[in-house]
């Protein structure tokens, strides 16, 4: 079993890429996560000038910090205003998703018990994830740097925020929030092939050179965040950045976007701009294909 922490360097020992079974006792200590300033709220955030929002966000962030000391996830007692934001966004997204989302994703959301009427707790989702694909989510208080974030996928763990966006703009968030995580990302980890593919990215991140890490970041962007898949002759969305954004999800299927067949070499060499609507997206033929090409790529590191 690998023992190094998220702050892996390029001189790590060899590892096998087929290590899919990660037991809870094999996980590195979460307290060893060394991240700086992850609880920053940038000035352009809609809640930046709302002291009550900041206080609430800080409180929820403190629960993530507590998790790193204790290893125990604390459920968040979401208030009525937060639940209302969830209901508004979840209902609206569901309508678009019913036409545009991958069939697998739509079923997975049900399997995880994610409903439009309340914000799901990480603990609830973890119970089902463990049974379905031996994956898990762990709380984090904000955006972390690429290597640290991606490396945790190597232990079949996704770091997830728990706070929710500001009520003034339910359709928008400049940072990940519980809507993006649990409507965007978490259902896909119930897919074995997708979970294995994610773990390969994590393995790669632990040993990647800085250049390879940049490539991995692009692979992650064009798949985990903005991926499309061919399903029964139709193109559907499975990327979290699409599934959790009304604007991006509708836009992805217009003629403003060029939808290209997935080509790993092209993807890892294609730069993206996170502040703009995506002009080019890549379509994979299946989740198994994505897993296989990524495995071969990571083996070449
Ligand atoms: Fe994301």
């Amino acid at each position: 079993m690998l023992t190094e922490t998220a702050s892996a360097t390029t001189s790590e020992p060899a590892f096998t890429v087929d290590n899919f079974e990660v037991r809870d006792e094999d996980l590195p200590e979460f307290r060893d996560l060394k991240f700086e300033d992850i609880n920053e709220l940038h000035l352009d955030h809609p809640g930046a000038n709302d002291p009550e929002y900041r206080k609430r966000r800080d409180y929820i962030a403190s629960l993530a910090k507590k998790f790193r000391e204790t290893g125990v996830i604390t459920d968040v007692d979401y208030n009525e205003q937060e639940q209302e934001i969830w209901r508004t966004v979840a209902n609206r997204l569901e309508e678009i998703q019913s036409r545009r989302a991958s069939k697998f994703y739509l079923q997975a959301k049900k399997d995880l018990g994610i409903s439009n009427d309340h914000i799901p707790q990480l603990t609830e989702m973890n119970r089902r994830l463990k049974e379905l694909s031996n994956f898990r989510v762990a709380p984090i208080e904000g955006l972390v740097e690429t290597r640290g974030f991606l490396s945790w996928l190597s232990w079949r763990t996704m770091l997830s925020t728990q706070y929710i966006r500001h009520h003034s703009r339910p359709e928008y968030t400049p940072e990940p929030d519980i809507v993006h995580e649990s409507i965007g990302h978490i259902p896909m980890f119930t897919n074995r092939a997708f979970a294995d593919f994610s773990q390969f990215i994590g393995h790669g991140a632990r040993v990647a050179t800085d250049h390879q890490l940049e490539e991995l970041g692009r692979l992650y962007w064009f798949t985990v965040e903005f991926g499309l898949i061919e399903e029964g002759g139709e193109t559907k969305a499975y990327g979290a950045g699409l599934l959790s954004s009304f604007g991006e999800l509708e836009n992805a299927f217009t003629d403003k976007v060029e939808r290209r067949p997935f080509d790993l070499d092209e993807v890892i060499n294609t730069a993206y701009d996170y502040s703009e609507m995506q002009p080019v997206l890549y379509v994979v033929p299946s989740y198994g294909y994505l897993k296989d090409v990524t495995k071969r790529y990571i083996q070449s590191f």
Side-chain angles (χ1 to χ4, degrees):
M1 211 34 242
L2 296 159
T3 53
E4 71 271 24
T5 67
S7 55
T9 66
T10 52
S11 58
E12 293 303 331
F15 58 87
T16 70
V17 291
D18 278 319
N19 170 28
F20 295 132
E21 299 312 318
V22 179
R23 297 167 307 168
D24 287 345
E25 53 270 38
D26 297 330
L27 293 173
E29 292 287 340
F30 284 101
R31 72 172 69 94
D32 292 338
L33 275 169
K34 289 184 185 64
F35 297 123
E36 283 169 27
D37 302 329
I38 39 179
N39 188 25
E40 267 181 11
L41 192 59
H42 292 282
L43 286 175
D44 59 350
H45 189 288
N49 297 316
D50 177 345
E52 218 169 295
Y53 180 80
R54 294 194 77 118
K55 205 170 126 200
R56 182 70 182 152
R57 190 178 171 288
D58 284 347
Y59 165 70
I60 296 174
S62 77
L63 301 179
K65 283 196 193 111
K66 187 168 126 198
F67 164 76
R68 287 212 293 287
E69 283 146 30
T70 62
V72 178
I73 301 175
T74 307
D75 285 348
V76 181
D77 54 339
Y78 293 109
N79 61 37
E80 191 40 41
Q81 187 180 53
E82 290 162 339
Q83 298 287 8
E84 186 51 35
I85 301 168
W86 172 271
R87 287 192 286 268
T88 304
V89 182
N91 278 312
R92 221 179 124 191
L93 280 173
E94 188 177 70
E95 190 280 312
I96 313 174
Q97 286 180 350
S98 66
R99 292 177 278 119
R100 297 304 190 188
S102 161
K103 274 199 195 72
F104 180 88
Y105 165 86
L106 291 171
Q107 184 58 44
K109 215 164 113 182
K110 288 190 192 135
D111 293 345
L112 281 179
I114 297 173
S115 83
N116 294 355
D117 43 82
H118 71 277
I119 304 171
Q121 300 287 350
L122 301 190
T123 49
E124 288 171 59
M125 293 187 285
N126 263 349
R127 276 192 286 277
R128 296 290 289 139
L129 273 175
K130 192 169 190 162
E131 290 166 18
L132 292 164
S133 60
N134 189 33
F135 217 87
R136 59 183 75 64
V137 287
I140 190 83
E141 59 268 37
L143 256 184
V144 296
E145 41 82 32
T146 309
R147 192 185 297 274
F149 178 81
L150 295 182
S151 293
W152 273 91
L153 295 172
S154 176
W155 286 281
R156 293 178 93 80
T157 303
M158 190 193 87
L159 302 178
S160 167
T161 56
Q162 289 171 291
Y163 49 74
I164 198 159
R165 59 198 58 193
H166 193 253
H167 60 84
S168 63
R169 295 194 61 190
E171 80 294 350
Y172 170 76
T173 174
E175 61 177 1
D177 72 338
I178 189 68
V179 174
H180 176 71
E181 317 285 23
S182 61
I183 291 190
H185 285 287
I186 298 173
M188 285 309 301
F189 291 118
T190 65
N191 183 299
R192 269 264 160 194
F194 185 86
D196 293 351
F197 147 75
S198 303
Q199 191 174 17
F200 288 140
I201 290 189
H203 285 345
R206 291 167 65 186
V207 296
T209 61
D210 288 348
H211 175 73
Q212 286 168 330
L213 189 69
E214 210 173 301
E215 292 181 351
L216 277 176
R218 291 172 178 161
L219 174 60
Y220 183 90
W221 182 262
F222 287 113
T223 56
V224 180
E225 292 293 355
F226 286 93
L228 295 172
I229 187 165
E230 204 61 40
E231 260 181 12
E234 282 185 283
T235 302
K236 300 284 183 174
Y238 70 90
L242 297 173
L243 294 167
S244 66
S245 160
F246 321 127
E248 290 280 6
L249 190 52
E250 293 282 27
N251 188 59
F253 296 90
T254 64
D255 51 17
K256 280 180 255 166
V257 173
E258 192 187 335
R259 290 170 296 276
R260 298 185 192 166
F262 182 88
D263 178 285
L264 186 103
D265 235 29
E266 183 180 325
V267 164
I268 61 177
N269 288 300
T270 300
Y272 60 86
D273 181 350
Y274 65 86
S275 64
E276 296 287 321
M277 287 277 202
Q278 299 306 305
V280 176
L281 297 173
Y282 292 91
V283 187
V284 294
S286 69
Y287 299 117
Y289 172 86
L290 189 56
K291 170 184 167 176
D292 293 342
V293 292
T294 302
K295 179 180 178 177
R296 281 198 294 277
Y297 166 56
I298 299 302
Q299 276 171 327
S300 75
F301 278 22

